[in-house]
Amino acid sequence: MGLLEGKTALIFGVANKRSIAWGITQAMHREGAKIALSYGLPQLERRVRPLAEEVGADFVELCDVSDDAQIEAVFEKVGQQLGKIDILVHSIGFADRDDLMGRFVDTSRAGFKMALDISAFSFTALVRAALPHFNEGASALTLSYYGAAKAVPAYNVMGVAKAALEASVRYLAADLGPDGIRVNAISAGAIKTLASSGVSGFRSMFSEFARISPLKRNMTQDEVGNSAVYLCSDWASAVTGEIHYVDAGANIIGFTLPEEDA
Ligand code: NAD
Ligand code: 0WE
């Protein structure tokens, strides 16, 4: 018997096989959840359709989360085609590439607005739009990163967006707790995906991560997926407003010594 048997999960943010959202999708499918997917750009459809087929998802809808009308439209289809949902996953983040290099202090007003809109506000927008469609005991999950809590080289405006996202998780959890709806985030360690591999210096960050983490390795999309299953399952029924690190323990380390002194 799967942990999510009888539940329906609506997952935003699958772009390709490497997406964290795809690791979550596969884990939730394995645990018996019915899967529905939403993707962000028309040109992603030809990649997402075959993936949807792998997990038996009939509901596959375009939704650019920077557009209120598209959010409204996708949830109208949820009402018509999917029925009530138990799990909402938000695995979406975007900033202008130019803002993910150089100094944070140089961030433009337009770049700041876009990063916060797509990476932070969209979670609140999706949760609000989902409210009439949630079953009793439903939960929402988003993805964050350590750059919300500490200054990470080049993460810049995305770190500020993730800080806003993590605070949103707490306010949403406080708002919706009385209705039995839980809201949590997974803060994942650095993983190679479309959104990360284009980032300059990512390779050395990736190997540095494996060096400092207590488990002495990186993690996988599948491991994030398994933690997502737990947080969205009834085993986490008293867990809400939480930022749960899935990072091989890296975030607990204060500093490391150079090899010769260790
Ligand atoms: P990804 O590129 O596979 O996923 C990002 C998704 O955001 C894509 O599916 C993209 O289409 C979608 N998106 C961007 N703008 C959108 C818009 N306007 N409307 C709708 N969708 C839009 O990369 P990923 O690494 O799987 O990222 C997923 C989440 O995980 C992001 O929130 C990211 O910040 C977070 N995260 C990533 C890492 C990492 O190292 N890869 C670590 C921690 C957290
Ligand atoms: O949240 C992320 C990815 C965020 C991201 C990445 C891109 C690259 C391409 C948002 N927007 C864009 N826009 C683009 O045009 N991560 C946690 C992965 C990541 O991204 C970094 C990191 C890490 C880790 C950027 C700089 C430094 C570290």
Side-chain angles (χ1 to χ4, degrees):
M1 185 69 175
L3 274 184
L4 302 179
E5 217 74 53
K7 294 191 193 289
T8 298
L10 174 58
I11 300 172
F12 290 78
V14 175
N16 57 42
K17 271 192 181 296
R18 303 192 99 175
S19 294
I20 292 175
W22 179 239
I24 294 172
T25 299
Q26 287 177 296
M28 290 187 169
H29 171 65
R30 184 195 71 218
E31 295 298 331
K34 176 180 172 178
I35 304 293
L37 299 179
S38 175
Y39 57 94
L41 290 170
Q43 55 269 37
L44 289 174
E45 183 175 2
R46 79 185 171 84
R47 280 189 191 282
V48 177
R49 288 261 173 213
L51 295 176
E53 208 157 301
E54 277 188 43
V55 294
D58 299 327
F59 188 100
V60 186
E61 293 293 336
L62 173 68
C63 178
D64 179 337
V65 296
S66 66
D67 182 353
D68 286 331
Q70 291 190 36
I71 294 177
E72 199 183 313
V74 80
F75 279 96
E76 198 175 311
K77 286 181 182 145
V78 166
Q80 291 163 354
Q81 300 173 27
L82 202 58
K84 296 286 182 197
I85 62 174
D86 304 280
I87 298 170
L88 176 78
V89 177
H90 170 275
S91 184
I92 291 172
F94 191 77
D96 196 301
R97 180 179 296 275
D98 293 342
D99 288 328
L100 295 174
M101 51 185 82
R103 304 192 304 170
F104 169 71
V105 71
D106 295 322
T107 307
S108 68
R109 189 185 297 271
F112 190 100
K113 273 190 182 168
M114 184 177 64
L116 274 281
D117 183 28
I118 297 176
S119 312
F121 175 71
S122 67
F123 183 53
T124 296
L126 291 183
V127 169
R128 182 167 62 240
L131 285 179
H133 306 279
F134 277 142
N135 263 328
E136 179 67 32
S139 78
L141 180 73
T142 187
L143 273 296
S144 192
Y145 176 63
Y146 185 62
K150 303 287 176 183
V152 168
Y155 199 60
N156 296 0
V157 74
M158 275 303 297
V160 175
K162 291 301 193 189
L165 179 68
E166 292 185 4
S168 306
V169 166
R170 291 184 284 270
Y171 280 96
L172 292 168
D175 279 351
L176 305 181
D179 302 323
I181 296 163
R182 300 182 298 106
V183 184
N184 292 292
I186 285 177
S187 183
I191 300 183
K192 281 178 192 149
T193 62
L194 188 63
S196 65
S197 54
V199 171
S200 72
F202 187 79
R203 267 184 40 206
S204 43
M205 195 171 41
F206 198 66
S207 53
E208 183 62 5
F209 188 93
R211 191 183 68 78
I212 69 163
S213 65
L215 297 180
K216 298 294 165 206
R217 61 176 180 84
N218 294 95
M219 334 68 39
T220 64
Q221 281 84 345
D222 292 359
E223 291 178 304
V224 175
N226 288 335
S227 298
V229 164
Y230 156 71
L231 282 172
C232 296
S233 78
D234 297 338
W235 293 113
S237 55
V239 180
T240 193
E242 200 68 23
I243 314 300
H244 181 64
Y245 279 87
V246 178
D247 67 344
N251 75 93
I252 65 147
I253 298 298
F255 63 90
T256 62
L257 294 170
E259 205 70 60
E260 60 268 25
D261 302 332

